[in-house]
Amino acid sequence: MRPSRRTSLLCLAAATALVALSAPVTTASGAAGTAGHHRPCVSSAAPTEGAALDVLRIAEQARTEMDLKSVILRVTVDGRELLTSALGESMTGVPAEPAMHFRNGNIAISYLGTALLRLVDDGKVRLDDPIGRWLPDLPHDYGDRMTLRMLGASTTGLVDYVTSPGFGETVYADPFRQWTPEELVGISTGRDLWYEPGTNWSYSHANFVLLGAALEKITGTRLDVLLQQLVTGPLGLHETSNSFTPDIPTPVLHAFTSDRGTYEESTFWNPSWTTAPGAVETTDICDLARSAVGLGSGELLSPSSYREFLNPGTVGLGTPTDKCPATVCIAQTPATHYGMGVLVLNEWISQHPLFFGYSASQNYLPCEHLAIAVSTTDGPTAPGGHSAHTIAQRIAAALAPDHPIPDFG
């Protein structure tokens, strides 16, 4: 692959122009790469030279360096496989495989944003509609003060329940607890707003719990079904599915963590607190790479909605105040900012979830048609954090050196 010397803005502009040439996809049969039968997700032939070998060596080195139990990755260019590989183990004596399922975490939040924008394209809602139309029981007249755009762009000012005092300790004390949306949102609405809705930016899981509830009310359709109809189905994500329990479809990529002081299995710790019921999903690496392409290229959206997807008004926000520190109200710049459930990192459209020993990263560079998907699990001495995203950044530096993936914030 020849490195491009186009600027970030030209890269994203080219992507928007490409979207303008095609209509949004509405059915799975129309999605690129989904015609014909469902191909199994398997490792590609072991590379002996070239870019694929470079990628494999990056993954092997990172697995050793970061003490990762497994690294699964898939890289595509123009929709064609460059490399699919699985390194390490799922469990002791059980090799990791590309077809193994893992939790996709906040990647499903980008599906919520895409579903919302598809409803906008269909004329069913407007981004600036107040959420009280569908969620009339919110306290403090939040329903009148907050809009669908603010939920999707994370500009409501709602405190993040995940970082609220005592929440993490409660989760670790009982990681199998089933949380309800009412419990989660109640933690956030029970505290003062960081700022007046729409005037600043800060990430809050509560925004997406509320957005999921609003989408159900708008459409009269259960959220998991709606996301399948509007996003995962049209993109041909056959191995991506919701579960209302901690179960994971087989084959399972098992996870382990030392977060509670001892190295223990965390595969089936309950993810009910992570986002809206119906969007608590699992996936495999082939779906993750396909998701990166579909979302990053704007294939399901009109040109105007794709622009909103990349910047729904967040650029320029993220100003620290006396009440909202810089670690919360993170500066949103043209180079690194939050979109409608996605991160825009220079030219890359990205997400990188993290959940109790699982880490994943999906990234798409529109002007190079380059997709990088990585999933990792931790070994006993792994440093934790977004190891999958670190690997994706290293792969991007090797394949597209003029287009690095920066850190957010």
Side-chain angles (χ1 to χ4, degrees):
M1 182 188 309
R2 295 191 304 273
S4 168
R5 298 194 180 278
R6 285 167 284 188
T7 66
S8 302
L9 292 178
L10 286 176
C11 184
L12 290 177
T16 305
L18 181 63
V19 172
L21 296 176
S22 59
V25 175
T26 56
T27 65
S29 61
T34 61
H37 65 279
H38 174 210
R39 296 181 178 179
C41 189
V42 297
S43 294
S44 49
T48 58
E49 60 182 3
L53 181 58
D54 293 340
V55 170
L56 183 60
R57 286 174 172 167
I58 289 169
E60 290 172 337
Q61 180 179 348
R63 187 172 80 86
T64 300
E65 172 192 326
M66 292 187 271
D67 186 32
L68 300 175
K69 193 167 186 67
S70 70
V71 176
I72 305 177
L73 71 154
R74 181 173 171 88
V75 178
T76 67
V77 184
D78 286 321
R80 296 187 296 273
E81 177 187 65
L82 176 68
L83 179 70
T84 303
S85 185
L87 309 174
E89 296 181 320
S90 171
M91 298 184 292
T92 302
V94 180
E97 298 176 358
M100 287 179 168
H101 298 97
F102 51 88
R103 303 201 186 279
N104 69 355
N106 61 18
I107 287 166
I109 288 173
S110 61
Y111 301 161
L112 293 175
T114 300
L116 172 60
L117 289 169
R118 294 207 69 188
L119 295 175
V120 171
D121 282 339
D122 290 342
K124 295 180 179 178
V125 295
R126 296 174 301 174
L127 285 179
D128 296 317
D129 286 341
I131 62 175
R133 184 174 304 177
W134 302 281
L135 304 175
D137 297 328
L138 291 175
H140 315 302
D141 70 356
Y142 287 166
D144 296 327
R145 298 164 63 189
M146 298 176 181
T147 66
L148 293 171
R149 180 193 301 274
M150 294 175 194
L151 292 181
S154 207
T155 60
T156 62
L158 285 169
V159 169
D160 187 1
Y161 59 79
V162 170
T163 59
S164 293
F167 183 82
E169 291 81 357
T170 301
V171 171
Y172 279 118
D174 183 7
F176 300 101
R177 174 176 171 174
Q178 180 75 23
W179 293 82
T180 68
E182 292 77 16
E183 289 175 319
L184 299 170
V185 172
I187 296 171
S188 295
T189 58
R191 300 184 61 191
D192 291 341
L193 295 175
W194 283 114
Y195 46 82
E196 183 63 23
T199 65
N200 213 330
W201 185 91
S202 59
Y203 190 86
S204 175
H205 287 75
N207 292 323
F208 304 104
V209 176
L210 289 171
L211 179 57
L215 291 175
E216 288 189 329
K217 292 291 184 67
I218 291 165
T219 61
T221 304
R222 204 174 69 183
L223 185 59
D224 60 318
V225 176
L226 183 68
L227 294 181
Q228 196 282 327
Q229 291 173 344
L230 295 183
V231 185
T232 61
L235 290 180
L237 306 183
H238 301 285
E239 299 301 324
T240 302
S241 61
N242 166 77
S243 178
F244 291 105
T245 76
D247 194 22
I248 299 177
T250 56
V252 179
L253 179 66
H254 287 250
F256 303 81
T257 182
S258 300
D259 286 348
R260 299 202 301 177
T262 185
Y263 188 62
E264 60 185 327
E265 179 160 5
S266 53
T267 307
F268 299 108
W269 286 7
N270 198 322
S272 57
W273 55 269
T274 56
T275 191
V280 181
E281 296 179 337
T282 55
T283 192
D284 71 7
I285 201 68
C286 290
D287 272 15
L288 195 65
R290 172 71 184 113
S291 170
V293 175
L295 296 183
S297 66
E299 146 183 347
L300 300 179
L301 301 173
S302 69
S304 60
S305 282
Y306 182 56
R307 287 191 293 271
E308 295 283 1
F309 187 61
L310 300 182
N311 177 21
T314 48
V315 172
L317 300 180
T319 303
T321 67
D322 291 341
K323 191 173 183 179
C324 191
T327 53
V328 174
C329 288
I330 298 172
Q332 305 294 291
T333 72
T336 59
H337 63 270
Y338 201 73
M340 191 65 74
V342 294
L343 291 168
V344 177
L345 304 176
N346 281 348
E347 306 95 327
W348 295 84
I349 294 90
S350 177
Q351 266 292 18
H352 45 277
L354 185 67
F355 178 83
F356 294 145
Y358 284 112
S359 173
S361 181
Q362 75 167 32
N363 309 271
Y364 186 69
L365 180 62
C367 59
E368 298 286 357
H369 302 171
L370 171 61
I372 301 172
V374 183
S375 170
T376 63
T377 56
D378 289 345
T381 63
H386 295 278
S387 56
H389 194 60
T390 298
I391 294 172
Q393 290 174 309
R394 295 177 182 180
I395 293 171
L399 298 184
D402 288 350
H403 304 281
I405 303 177
D407 293 328
F408 178 66

